[in-house]
Amino acid sequence: MQGAARRRPFPAAAPGSPQPAGPLYPGRHGAVKNEDTFKTSPFHLDLWFYFTLQNWVLDFGRPIAMIILPLEWFPLNKPSAGDYFHMAYNVITPFLLLKLIERSPKTLPRSMIYVSIIMFVMGASIHLVGDSVNHRLIFSGYQHHLSVRENPIIKNLKPETLIDSFELLYYYDEYLGHSMWYIPFFLILFIYFTGCFTPVEEESRMPVAALLLMGPSSLYYWYLVTEGQIFILYIFTFFAMMALVMHQKRKGLVLDSNGLFLFYSFIITLVLIALWVVWLWNDKILRKKYPGVIYIPEPWAFYTLHMNNLHPAKESF
């Protein structure tokens, strides 16, 4: 009787009750990790299409809408059409990023994702204010290919301390706003990219729809990097992707269709940036605006320097 008592079997758990974690009862976290290893995800045509569409319309299209639409519809002391585009972008993009993370076949760090989304919204909102004023200044003769203090309309400001205020506005727009906007954006894309690997080589193929979206997507990333002046952030993200691909390849894992779409888009973006720099390599005015080792002019600086013939007609309003 005493030996039987010592060899009493472990009581079975009641049906529906949680099993104790241990060698015989693997915990839920271990089960999730095993599932993450073998899960795969089909190409997210809807999400990538929505991303590309709203990026082109709400981000690239907002300054164009501000210039094209009549000034009497949106006076200079009121938000422009581009500002409303920017507001919509600040709401839709975080939502799409969260939906993209939800579809990842790998369990990703939620706390880092949430903090990144919060920083993204803060940075994009700061940029909204600074970019709104800077783009509206175009109608008053502001030239983006010149620095703040070199602009003719800024030089004549009295008292001169007002120039410091405009430089502060430029800092919030081009530096603080861009950093808080783009760093979380690329971080979220990279975190999602870490889950885009599969052991099945047959799933490492892109559908025709992905090939069609790759061109517009890459062209938008070119605009994002050049206009946002974030080449260092972009190239470090790209190098991290390359290192991860090589590391996972040693384990016998390859990129799935979503990972290939993102990776190839970044490769094409790098080619477009190189062509852009080569084309404007000998532009002396832009060289003065962008000194230093890394010379990547902004598209809007190029516009105000070489294609600003629309402004005289607008200034008559």
Side-chain angles (χ1 to χ4, degrees):
M1 291 297 294
Q2 291 179 353
R6 285 195 297 268
R7 294 191 297 270
R8 182 179 299 171
F10 192 85
S17 62
Q19 296 282 4
L24 299 178
Y25 300 94
R28 294 181 60 187
H29 294 291
V32 171
K33 289 181 181 178
N34 291 336
E35 290 175 3
D36 289 344
T37 306
F38 299 104
K39 273 186 179 179
T40 55
S41 181
F43 183 72
H44 308 315
L45 175 59
D46 55 343
L47 283 182
W48 292 122
F49 174 76
Y50 294 147
F51 259 119
T52 305
L53 180 64
Q54 68 98 28
N55 284 338
W56 274 99
V57 175
L58 300 180
D59 191 14
F60 180 80
R62 56 188 170 83
I64 298 176
M66 180 267 299
I67 291 177
I68 292 178
L69 294 179
L71 277 180
E72 59 267 22
W73 293 5
F74 304 95
L76 293 178
N77 61 344
K78 301 293 182 181
S80 68
D83 297 337
Y84 294 110
F85 280 29
H86 205 322
M87 295 176 193
Y89 175 90
N90 291 4
V91 175
I92 296 174
T93 304
F95 175 76
L96 292 177
L97 288 173
L98 286 173
K99 298 302 291 185
L100 186 66
I101 291 296
E102 287 178 4
R103 295 194 187 180
S104 173
K106 180 180 178 181
T107 303
L108 302 175
R110 292 186 178 182
S111 298
M112 184 177 294
I113 295 297
Y114 293 154
V115 171
S116 298
I117 290 292
I118 292 171
M119 287 188 62
F120 173 90
V121 175
M122 289 179 61
S125 299
I126 291 173
H127 180 266
L128 165 62
V129 178
D131 204 54
S132 173
V133 176
N134 284 335
H135 277 133
R136 302 295 266 175
L137 286 175
I138 293 178
F139 297 114
S140 301
Y142 188 86
Q143 303 174 46
H144 279 287
H145 61 277
L146 299 176
S147 66
V148 175
R149 290 188 178 271
E150 292 177 344
N151 262 271
I153 66 171
I154 302 295
K155 285 182 178 180
N156 299 325
L157 286 178
K158 299 297 180 182
E160 292 186 0
T161 52
L162 285 176
I163 301 179
D164 296 331
S165 299
F166 275 94
E167 285 187 327
L168 177 62
L169 177 68
Y170 185 83
Y171 170 80
Y172 271 102
D173 177 18
E174 297 295 326
Y175 294 99
L176 183 61
H178 281 187
S179 298
M180 294 182 65
W181 177 4
Y182 295 131
I183 291 177
F185 179 78
F186 279 92
L187 178 60
I188 292 173
L189 288 182
F190 178 75
I191 292 175
Y192 171 78
F193 184 78
T194 61
C196 295
F197 290 89
T198 175
V200 184
E201 293 189 6
E202 288 76 9
E203 296 177 355
S204 183
R205 298 174 182 175
M206 288 190 300
V208 177
L211 297 174
L212 295 177
L213 280 177
M214 193 177 298
S217 177
S218 303
L219 192 58
Y220 170 75
Y221 286 131
W222 161 83
Y223 169 77
L224 195 69
V225 174
T226 54
E227 184 64 29
Q229 292 293 285
I230 54 169
F231 178 76
I232 295 179
L233 173 62
Y234 156 78
I235 201 64
F236 270 100
T237 305
F238 178 61
F239 286 160
M241 287 180 172
M242 289 183 61
L244 184 61
V245 169
M246 291 186 291
H247 175 71
Q248 296 287 54
K249 189 176 182 180
R250 296 192 189 101
K251 297 180 179 180
L253 300 177
V254 293
L255 284 170
D256 62 11
S257 58
N258 294 287
L260 286 175
F261 175 77
L262 197 56
F263 189 61
Y264 287 158
S265 295
F266 271 54
I267 293 177
I268 298 175
T269 298
L270 186 60
V271 174
L272 293 175
I273 294 172
L275 294 175
W276 173 255
V277 171
V278 170
W279 182 39
L280 300 176
W281 187 258
N282 295 320
D283 195 306
K284 296 181 179 179
I285 298 178
L286 292 178
R287 273 282 183 179
K288 184 179 179 181
K289 168 73 173 179
Y290 305 97
V293 178
I294 300 178
Y295 168 69
I296 302 179
E298 298 175 62
W300 278 104
F302 172 81
Y303 173 81
T304 59
L305 177 61
H306 298 292
M307 304 174 62
N308 61 351
N309 55 349
L310 294 176
H311 297 308
K314 291 283 186 179
E315 291 172 358
S316 63
F317 287 103

